[in-house]
Amino acid sequence: RVKDPFIRQLIVGWITVLDSVPDIDILIYLPEFLGGLFEMLSDVNKDIRQQAYSALQEFLHEIKDNVKLDLGPMVGILVKQCEMKDQFTRLTALCWIYEFIELGKIKLLPFLADMLGVVLLCISDEEEEIRLKANVTNKRLLKLVESTQEKFAIKALLNKITTHLVNKYVPTRLASLQWISMMLAKKPDTMFKHLPKLFPSLLDTLSDPDDKVVRLDLKVLARICVNKEHFDVVLNNLVNRFKCDRKLLETRGSLIVRQLSVLLDGESIYRAFASILLKEVDLEFASLMVQTLNLILLTSSELFELRGLLKRSLTSKQSSELFIQIYQAWAHNAVSTFSLCLLARVYELASALVTHMAETEVTVGFLMQVDKLVQLIESPIFIQLRLQLLEPRRYPFLLKSLYGLLMLLPQSSAFACLKNRLDSISTLGILTADQASSSLLALGGSSSSSNTNKGGGGEEKRGGSSGPSSKPTSSVTDHLDMKSLLYQFREMQLKHSERRKHIFKQHSLRRRQKDDRKKYGGGGSSESKRK
């Protein structure tokens, strides 16, 4: 470690001479001066750098031929050299680690965490040659751990990986997630024991600005969700994270839900979200979350199968159960509930909801949601709905629902768009449909007593009459107790109304004055109170 160039040349010369003597096994003493040789690689003197590099290359060649040599004492030296500022020193040390992994194999597992730590750092090195070498070294290390049956310190390894999950460079964060994914596949039971410490880091990574990192992080979370025991835990924590970080819901919510639906199953994801939101006590957040999930449901190509299931809500028991479960949570948001009924073709319930929506407070946010729904009605998702408008006698409640929605809108572009669509329907058909849409549900009666176009018109038997008195082809609609569903919607909306009133009272100055009088006894003295 002497800086004098002449002394350094003398030292390297002596090391080279001693190495050439057959009777001297200098490799035994290599750990004692290996660090010094690596430090000479950054010397300002070119000759010293070349001599040191030549000596190191010769030693590496000899190590390859000596299978009995203990590599462990040298690993710590190499790890330290990989963190040096000099690029040539880092590259040379990385090359040694690369060779050591192949030579030592499972014998180097005790040093796995330290080696991986510097390799992950070098993956994002500013020097391209170092990045390339770090990548192949990482793959070799990954393959070694993936194929071994030997035990290794998972806790130390996870500590190192989670530290690099917050690294400022994308390649390092991606490589860290790949390691977590591999270990979840290799040792799931062991990894699940470390979830309490690992899980917060994975949730934090969802806010990563890079989409590739978020997608890979979701793959890791999906791998955890494969275990049924942890499925609900992951989604509950995800909802809580959305609640605490509304910006995450706004910016990454769509990507997260879509990717989880692809990696797992859209139906199970939405069923789980519905169960969680139904119990949510923060009503404002629940309404916002439902609004977000509903928009994803209506627009995402990844949820095509889920939309197909919901469209069979009147003809399939499984679909009707799915509709009911989602509907109960969607009741947090009136417009989302209405659009779900349109998607599921439960038009009779939709027409009843419109009547109730008129009784609630119409806010700017509400009108913006209705405006967005009108735009979606013009999208390919609702193409079947638009075709059903050509059969007003068969789907009278659909017509009534859309006209009710039109009446809720103020004069605007959305109003004009929906009006133009409805104006294209034959007036004669509308008059006939009006006679068929005298829903007892909308009037507060029992929906089970109405055979006329139950749930939205139903499908008439082929070859039968197409009049309003025709019976539906299936009795599966009995699974939808529409009167009960409407009651659940009203109860949920009443909770939201009470919440708004409570917030208003909290901000009311007069209310505060009343509370102050109660607190201080109406302003009178304590002596007058005793009297």
Side-chain angles (χ1 to χ4, degrees):
R1 287 173 173 77
V2 179
K3 303 298 183 182
D4 187 278
F6 298 105
I7 297 179
R8 280 192 163 187
Q9 283 183 324
L10 183 64
I11 293 173
V12 175
W14 269 103
I15 291 174
T16 305
V17 170
L18 291 173
D19 185 42
S20 63
V21 178
D23 295 335
I24 300 177
D25 188 5
I26 200 170
L27 289 181
I28 299 175
Y29 307 97
L30 183 58
E32 297 182 18
F33 57 83
L34 182 62
L37 282 177
F38 268 97
E39 288 185 9
M40 291 183 188
L41 294 177
S42 59
D43 197 283
V44 294
N45 190 305
K46 182 179 179 181
D47 292 335
I48 295 177
R49 291 200 304 271
Q50 290 178 343
Q51 290 177 20
Y53 181 71
S54 298
L56 286 169
Q57 290 299 97
E58 180 62 28
F59 282 128
L60 183 58
H61 178 72
E62 293 176 15
I63 289 171
K64 292 179 181 179
D65 296 331
N66 192 336
V67 294
K68 295 182 180 180
L69 184 65
D70 185 9
L71 304 178
M74 290 181 278
V75 173
I77 299 171
L78 297 177
V79 167
K80 183 179 179 181
Q81 297 302 320
C82 284
E83 298 173 339
M84 291 296 177
K85 292 182 179 180
D86 183 68
Q87 295 178 354
F88 187 55
T89 303
R90 294 202 305 274
L91 178 60
T92 307
L94 200 57
C95 291
W96 274 60
I97 290 179
Y98 177 78
E99 298 296 341
F100 272 31
I101 296 171
E102 183 64 24
L103 295 171
K105 296 187 185 300
I106 60 174
K107 294 179 181 179
L108 294 184
L109 287 178
F111 311 97
L112 177 61
D114 292 333
M115 289 191 295
L116 180 60
V118 293
V119 169
L120 291 176
L121 280 177
C122 291
I123 282 178
S124 300
D125 198 278
E126 59 184 12
E127 183 67 29
E128 183 180 4
E129 193 173 0
I130 295 178
R131 292 198 304 270
L132 294 174
K133 195 64 183 179
N135 271 301
V136 294
T137 305
N138 180 59
K139 289 178 181 178
R140 176 169 282 189
L141 203 56
L142 195 69
K143 185 178 180 181
L144 170 65
V145 176
E146 196 172 10
S147 60
T148 186
Q149 299 300 320
E150 300 292 326
K151 293 182 178 181
F152 55 91
I154 290 184
K155 184 177 181 180
L157 190 62
L158 284 178
N159 288 339
K160 193 70 69 172
I161 292 173
T162 51
T163 300
H164 288 293
L165 277 178
V166 294
N167 188 284
K168 63 179 179 179
Y169 296 109
V170 171
T172 296
R173 300 199 298 272
L174 288 172
S176 300
L177 288 168
Q178 288 170 353
W179 271 91
I180 296 175
S181 181
M182 181 275 293
M183 288 193 293
L184 279 168
K186 180 178 177 60
K187 294 181 175 292
D189 294 336
T190 306
M191 287 291 290
F192 289 151
K193 295 177 182 178
H194 298 279
L195 275 184
K197 185 173 182 180
L198 179 63
F199 204 66
S201 298
L202 293 176
L203 289 176
D204 290 338
T205 307
L206 292 174
S207 301
D208 196 281
D210 188 88
D211 283 353
K212 291 181 181 179
V213 175
V214 176
R215 291 177 188 275
L216 186 54
D217 186 44
L218 288 169
K219 287 184 179 180
V220 173
L221 289 172
R223 193 177 288 277
I224 296 173
C225 286
V226 171
N227 185 298
K228 179 60 179 175
E229 181 183 348
H230 296 95
F231 178 81
D232 293 333
V233 175
V234 170
L235 290 189
N236 271 289
N237 278 276
L238 182 58
V239 171
N240 287 332
R241 182 54 61 101
F242 282 144
K243 186 195 300 187
C244 299
D245 187 357
R246 302 293 173 87
K247 186 177 180 181
L248 175 64
L249 177 61
E250 180 183 345
T251 58
R252 293 293 190 190
S254 178
L255 174 62
I256 291 171
V257 174
R258 286 189 288 109
Q259 285 299 304
L260 287 178
S261 298
V262 171
L263 295 168
L264 297 169
D265 171 57
E267 180 182 352
S268 61
I269 291 294
Y270 266 72
R271 280 183 181 272
F273 276 136
S275 298
I276 295 169
L277 293 173
L278 188 60
K279 304 172 186 176
E280 179 58 53
V281 294
D282 187 343
L283 299 181
E284 181 185 4
F285 165 74
S287 177
L288 179 62
M289 186 74 184
V290 165
Q291 184 182 340
T292 303
L293 290 172
N294 185 68
L295 184 60
I296 298 169
L297 174 63
L298 295 179
T299 59
S300 173
S301 59
E302 291 86 349
L303 292 170
F304 173 79
E305 292 186 5
L306 180 58
R307 289 195 295 270
L309 276 174
L310 287 169
K311 288 177 182 179
R312 297 192 292 273
S313 295
L314 295 178
T315 58
S316 164
K317 182 178 180 181
Q318 178 190 357
S319 296
S320 64
E321 291 174 350
L322 172 63
F323 170 79
I324 292 171
Q325 186 172 5
I326 295 179
Y327 173 92
Q328 290 173 339
W330 260 228
H332 280 295
N333 186 281
V335 179
S336 297
T337 312
F338 178 78
S339 62
L340 177 67
C341 292
L342 293 184
L343 177 66
R345 301 174 183 176
V346 188
Y347 300 138
E348 182 178 2
L349 183 56
S351 66
L353 290 177
V354 170
T355 304
H356 177 76
M357 286 159 63
E359 299 171 359
T360 61
E361 181 184 3
V362 178
T363 63
V364 175
F366 173 86
L367 293 176
M368 290 176 64
Q369 291 181 56
V370 175
D371 189 286
K372 182 67 176 178
L373 176 59
V374 171
Q375 296 178 38
L376 289 172
I377 290 175
E378 296 298 317
S379 70
I381 298 296
F382 285 106
I383 190 170
Q384 190 67 34
L385 178 147
R386 298 198 299 273
L387 288 173
Q388 289 171 349
L389 288 173
L390 299 175
E391 303 178 81
R393 295 178 63 188
R394 191 175 181 182
Y395 303 100
F397 293 109
L398 169 60
L399 201 61
K400 186 173 183 179
S401 299
L402 295 184
Y403 266 108
L405 188 65
L406 183 68
M407 294 301 104
L408 292 178
L409 283 167
Q411 295 283 343
S412 61
S413 58
F415 177 90
C417 179
L418 184 56
K419 184 175 182 298
N420 289 337
R421 174 66 63 182
L422 295 174
D423 284 347
S424 61
I425 305 170
S426 169
T427 307
L428 180 60
I430 294 176
L431 293 174
T432 309
D434 183 61
Q435 298 172 2
S437 62
S438 56
S439 168
L440 294 180
L441 173 63
L443 298 175
S446 172
S447 63
S448 60
S449 63
S450 175
N451 290 327
T452 304
N453 296 307
K454 193 170 187 176
E459 299 269 345
E460 289 84 0
K461 292 182 180 180
R462 294 192 178 185
S465 171
S466 60
S469 62
S470 300
K471 295 181 180 179
T473 58
S474 173
S475 61
V476 181
T477 54
D478 292 336
H479 294 296
L480 294 180
D481 185 350
M482 298 196 189
K483 185 177 180 181
S484 174
L485 291 174
L486 182 60
Y487 174 78
Q488 292 172 16
F489 173 79
R490 286 173 173 167
E491 287 296 302
M492 184 65 77
Q493 288 297 304
L494 182 61
K495 290 181 181 179
H496 282 265
S497 178
E498 292 297 325
R499 180 190 66 84
R500 287 191 291 269
K501 290 179 181 178
H502 179 69
I503 294 175
F504 176 76
K505 287 180 180 179
Q506 284 183 326
H507 291 83
S508 172
L509 187 60
R510 179 170 293 182
R511 176 72 179 180
R512 289 182 184 179
Q513 290 175 343
K514 290 181 179 179
D515 292 340
D516 289 343
R517 284 197 295 268
K518 289 180 180 179
K519 182 177 180 180
Y520 300 110
S525 64
S526 58
E527 183 180 353
S528 62
K529 287 183 180 181
R530 287 194 298 269
K531 290 180 180 179

